[in-house]
Amino acid sequence: MSASGTMTFRKEERLCSRTLIEKLFHREGSRSMAAFPVRLVYMKTETKENEPPVQVMVSVPKRCFKRAVKRNRVKRQVREAYRKNKDMLYYGLHGHENTGLALAFIWLDDKLWDTSEVERKVVNLMTRLTEKLKKE
């Protein structure tokens, strides 16, 4: 069971704020790492009361897959991998009060991957991020 209570991916956990997305991609303070075919862009944020500590968005560029069916499949795979393993990020943030994360998973390849491989890559990125959080 994850620190958020369940192994769900609720609407509150989705990164929707235009200003926060802009800060994530255009301002200092954001970092990135890659485990091909997924790139993770992350930034520490201040969390408010009744707000989840981690907010996530998934992006699959149209230049990778012209068909929306394939883009949606990849987004589903990445979201599912995050949902199943998000507890490691919540435990990584456990010691930091009022600190949250804004995450963006970006697909880099123009080929479809097996779900188990996608999950392995997402877990790799999340593990590396958790280790960086523990060092700080």
Side-chain angles (χ1 to χ4, degrees):
M1 186 107 56
S2 71
S4 66
T6 61
M7 289 189 62
T8 60
F9 187 56
R10 300 181 321 253
K11 178 158 176 50
E12 298 85 38
E13 296 177 75
R14 294 176 192 257
L15 182 57
C16 301
S17 167
R18 185 174 291 243
T19 57
L20 192 54
I21 292 170
E22 225 171 82
K23 285 181 187 176
L24 183 64
F25 288 109
H26 299 293
R27 302 272 172 93
E28 295 176 15
S30 65
R31 307 252 177 194
S32 71
M33 60 179 75
F36 193 79
V38 182
R39 180 173 163 228
L40 173 67
V41 179
Y42 65 94
M43 180 179 69
K44 282 190 174 185
T45 60
E46 297 283 328
T47 58
K48 300 178 182 110
E49 191 95 14
N50 299 328
E51 188 177 281
V54 181
Q55 291 185 319
V56 178
M57 71 176 281
V58 179
S59 175
V60 181
K62 197 172 185 178
R63 80 180 133 82
C64 290
F65 298 109
K66 299 296 182 198
R67 305 262 173 179
V69 172
K70 290 183 179 181
R71 288 196 305 272
N72 291 339
R73 176 185 174 202
V74 172
K75 286 192 273 189
R76 242 187 349 264
Q77 287 175 321
V78 174
R79 278 195 309 261
E80 180 69 4
Y82 169 77
R83 182 193 68 82
K84 288 166 74 175
N85 300 289
K86 69 180 179 178
D87 55 343
M88 70 176 63
L89 288 177
Y90 282 87
Y91 291 133
L93 284 173
H94 185 64
H96 307 293
E97 291 295 320
N98 296 331
T99 301
L101 287 173
L103 304 177
F105 289 100
I106 302 168
W107 189 259
L108 302 173
D109 198 9
D110 59 351
K111 294 179 180 63
L112 293 173
W113 286 51
D114 187 47
T115 303
S116 61
E117 285 294 309
V118 173
E119 183 172 356
R120 193 169 61 81
K121 299 296 184 167
V122 170
V123 168
N124 178 357
L125 288 170
M126 290 169 51
T127 304
R128 288 167 44 196
L129 179 58
T130 304
E131 289 170 2
K132 283 191 175 194
L133 290 174
K134 287 183 180 179
K135 288 180 183 177
E136 296 176 358

